Amino acid sequence: MCTQCGCATESNQSAVSVIDIDVSLHSLNEKHAEENRRWFGEHNIKCLNIIGSPGTGKTSLLEASLPLIANELSIAVIEGDLASEIDASRIAKTGIPVQQINTGLGCHLESQDVLAAAKNQEYSDIDLLIVENVGNLVCPAQAEIGEDKKIVMLSVAEGDDKPAKYPETFAAADVIVVSKMDLMPYVDFDLTRFSDDVARLNAAATIIYLSSKTGSGLPAWTAWLQSQVNQAEVSI
Ligand SMILES: Nc1nc2c(ncn2[C@@H]2O[C@H](COP(=O)(O)OP(=O)(O)O)[C@@H](O)[C@H]2O)c(=O)[nH]1
Ligand SMILES: [Mg+2]
């Protein structure tokens, strides 16, 4: 078991006490996530949880895309990192309200910290709360924060084998964003292998291929974001 978050790791040892702690941490996580879900529902806020490795391009995507829809939707961002306010400063430059949560050694954002940030006065009229979770393809997928949708992101520079290596995370995604498509000529990312693996794990997930650098694919991403608030059907 991960000692930071209690995320489920099957132990080869029959340590009953470890399994008990695991179960109780998970039910505590679920209880807090449920409180968030209720609060978001009462305040008519859609919450999106973006999960991906460090450097996959999560903050760059928010910087490039949120200003495109900021006139139509009221958006706020929560940034999760172990340390620093670098990402919050980047988002702040777009004019979109943002708060940074530093987790110290924590490998994912906790529901209670997300809720405390969401209750900030500046966030009182928002439609969409976008949470960039701590860079990590494992724990954030297991620790719910009461989100409406999970977005799992990976860049083509990371390799097409990530769904096969992190199946639980990709299976939990509502949307999978494949970023840095402008780097395709320079990397060996096999799109067919990737999409076949995803189809095996999670046939229902929407896959969006994009580049925050060139802007390709951003219309599909912003249309999907808008559909979360407007409940519109979107074909990608
Ligand atoms: N070539 C290319 N680089 C990108 C793209 N998106 C992000 N990057 C670069 O990837 C690095 C990490 O980006 P960042 O947004 O901080 O990743 P995060 O850790 O997932 O938030 C930075 O150097 C970005 O400039 C992209 O679409 N294409
Ligand atoms: Mg970031």
Side-chain angles (χ1 to χ4, degrees):
M1 184 177 69
C2 169
T3 52
Q4 285 300 322
C5 68
C7 58
T9 300
E10 281 176 29
S11 170
N12 290 329
Q13 299 163 352
S14 56
V16 173
S17 61
V18 170
I19 293 168
D20 283 345
I21 292 165
D22 189 13
V23 168
S24 77
L25 272 174
H26 268 280
S27 37
L28 195 61
N29 279 350
E30 274 164 30
K31 179 177 157 284
H32 288 308
E34 195 46 48
E35 281 168 17
N36 285 19
R37 199 166 284 117
R38 197 173 326 115
W39 192 87
F40 292 141
E42 284 164 7
H43 292 80
N44 220 10
I45 293 172
K46 297 286 175 198
C47 176
L48 307 178
N49 186 6
I50 305 188
I51 296 164
S53 304
T56 204
K58 301 180 291 301
T59 313
S60 301
L61 177 59
L62 300 183
E63 288 176 302
S65 62
L66 298 188
L68 304 176
I69 51 171
N71 284 342
E72 292 145 62
L73 298 181
S74 180
I75 307 168
V77 172
I78 293 174
E79 287 289 344
D81 276 300
L82 272 63
S84 93
E85 300 218 337
I86 294 170
D87 282 3
S89 305
R90 288 170 60 186
I91 299 297
K93 286 189 187 138
T94 67
I96 289 165
V98 60
Q99 289 173 82
Q100 181 85 47
I101 298 175
N102 285 148
T103 59
L105 289 176
C107 51
H108 65 272
L109 287 173
E110 297 288 354
S111 285
Q112 307 95 295
D113 295 333
V114 170
L115 186 59
K119 286 181 175 172
N120 182 303
Q121 193 61 34
E122 214 191 340
Y123 287 26
S124 55
D125 284 331
I126 61 171
D127 305 313
L128 197 58
L129 176 64
I130 302 184
V131 179
E132 179 183 334
N133 218 310
V134 176
N136 179 343
L137 261 186
V138 186
C139 312
Q142 300 192 18
E144 298 242 325
I145 53 170
E147 67 269 41
D148 290 281
K149 299 278 168 67
K150 271 187 188 51
I151 298 148
V152 173
M153 189 161 171
L154 92 160
S155 73
V156 295
E158 291 163 63
D160 52 31
D161 56 3
K162 294 302 165 293
K165 289 184 175 176
Y166 301 88
E168 299 280 344
T169 300
F170 283 86
D174 296 288
V175 170
I176 297 171
V177 172
V178 183
S179 64
K180 307 194 188 181
M181 288 299 287
D182 58 292
L183 297 182
M184 277 298 279
Y186 313 106
V187 296
D188 297 325
F189 193 96
D190 183 334
L191 287 175
T192 307
R193 177 185 176 186
F194 168 79
S195 56
D196 285 352
D197 281 353
V198 169
R200 267 190 289 279
L201 289 165
N202 186 348
T206 300
I207 308 180
I208 302 176
Y209 299 90
L210 55 77
S211 164
S212 302
K213 203 172 182 113
T214 66
S216 76
L218 290 189
W221 163 246
T222 52
W224 183 81
L225 288 178
Q226 285 172 310
S227 74
Q228 298 311 296
V229 173
N230 302 328
Q231 302 294 336
E233 286 290 321
V234 61
S235 57
I236 291 168

